[in-house]
Amino acid sequence: MTSAVQDHPHTALDLLFGPGNDTPEALARQLMSAGADRDLGRALENLPRASRDAAVRETTAAAAGLLNLDLIGGLVAGWRKHHDLTAAAQRTIAAPGSVELVDMAGHQISISQHPSVTVLVDGAQVATAQLGLSLLFRVNAMTAKISAGRLVALHSGQCDLTVTLAIQGSTVFTKRAHLTLPGAIPLGQGIRLLAGHHYPASAERAESADNGHPPPVRHDAGASPPLDIGEWTY
């Protein structure tokens, strides 16, 4: 990965709050103040100070984890439903050793998630933080390299990204970024674009051996790594 790419935010959390050390504090402030009628600050104000601080700390950590969605991973996950990529994946499986380059210019991917964090004190529910995260990718130019049914690299391209965060139904942040790939980003062993049964068992065993793990139980799971994806539109 080139240094120019490394300067870009890696996750939705980075884009919304920046990669600095004050991210937990900034997120906690938003969680406590969002929503005039249902904010966590009102729900927690009658708790003892120690319990309130612990609730804020744990809720913030849980929310940060939910927002820690890898941006490139989100873009790649959306491409698993792109016909040109899945067709190339099928062809490269049928012709071992072959490589295809697919032009990915001029399309849009959106992700919408609505996770929540429930606060329990002594086993009793005292509050729930409702989050809404949306990501909109507008791909202006990008080339995907496909081999053995996997996305193995992204080549020079441009992508505009908009990330919006809502808390308790109120939008609190909208941030935009422009991602430029001046070279190629290798994706290691590659990311599967098809369901698991399309891949030969020998390849699966070879992957596990390289990683030092026994072969996994076969299942229909094309995603690697798994992403909790909400809605996709093209």
Side-chain angles (χ1 to χ4, degrees):
M1 185 180 295
T2 66
S3 59
V5 175
Q6 289 175 339
D7 293 337
H8 289 281
H10 289 244
T11 69
L13 191 66
D14 291 340
L15 180 56
L16 289 168
F17 295 98
N21 294 327
D22 64 340
T23 296
E25 289 76 11
L27 180 54
R29 287 194 298 270
Q30 293 297 331
L31 285 169
M32 293 304 106
S33 61
D37 298 324
R38 296 176 292 168
D39 61 275
L40 290 180
R42 292 175 182 270
L44 302 178
E45 62 185 1
N46 293 325
L47 294 176
R49 176 65 180 272
S51 297
R52 184 169 64 251
D53 290 347
V56 171
R57 184 171 57 252
E58 295 302 322
T59 302
T60 301
L66 293 170
L67 298 175
N68 197 34
L69 178 66
D70 178 69
L71 298 177
I72 293 295
L75 178 62
V76 170
W79 282 348
R80 291 193 181 99
K81 295 186 178 180
H82 195 289
H83 176 267
D84 290 346
L85 284 181
T86 56
Q90 291 170 343
R91 289 192 296 269
T92 57
I93 286 179
S98 63
V99 173
E100 292 198 23
L101 297 178
V102 180
D103 182 9
M104 299 301 298
H107 69 281
Q108 177 175 298
I109 295 172
S110 67
I111 305 172
S112 179
Q113 298 185 349
H114 302 279
S116 63
V117 179
T118 299
V119 180
L120 302 177
V121 177
D122 294 331
Q125 179 175 330
V126 297
T128 299
Q130 300 286 347
L131 307 179
L133 177 66
S134 66
L135 291 82
L136 178 63
F137 298 90
R138 292 187 176 92
V139 180
N140 304 313
M142 198 169 290
T143 301
K145 180 179 179 180
I146 313 298
S147 180
R150 298 170 180 272
L151 177 64
V152 296
L154 297 176
H155 289 273
S156 299
Q158 296 180 351
C159 177
D160 292 315
L161 169 64
T162 302
V163 177
T164 301
L165 173 65
I167 300 176
Q168 308 298 69
S170 300
T171 298
V172 296
F173 275 122
T174 296
K175 295 290 182 69
R176 296 175 176 84
H178 179 74
L179 177 63
T180 299
L181 309 180
I185 299 180
L187 299 174
Q189 293 179 337
I191 299 175
R192 288 182 174 182
L193 294 168
L194 304 171
H197 67 269
H198 288 276
Y199 297 86
S202 58
E204 196 170 75
R205 287 194 295 269
E207 281 183 39
S208 300
D210 290 341
N211 294 330
H213 300 294
V217 176
R218 291 186 60 80
H219 60 289
D220 187 12
S224 177
L227 292 170
D228 180 17
I229 299 302
E231 301 172 358
W232 298 96
T233 58
Y234 294 89

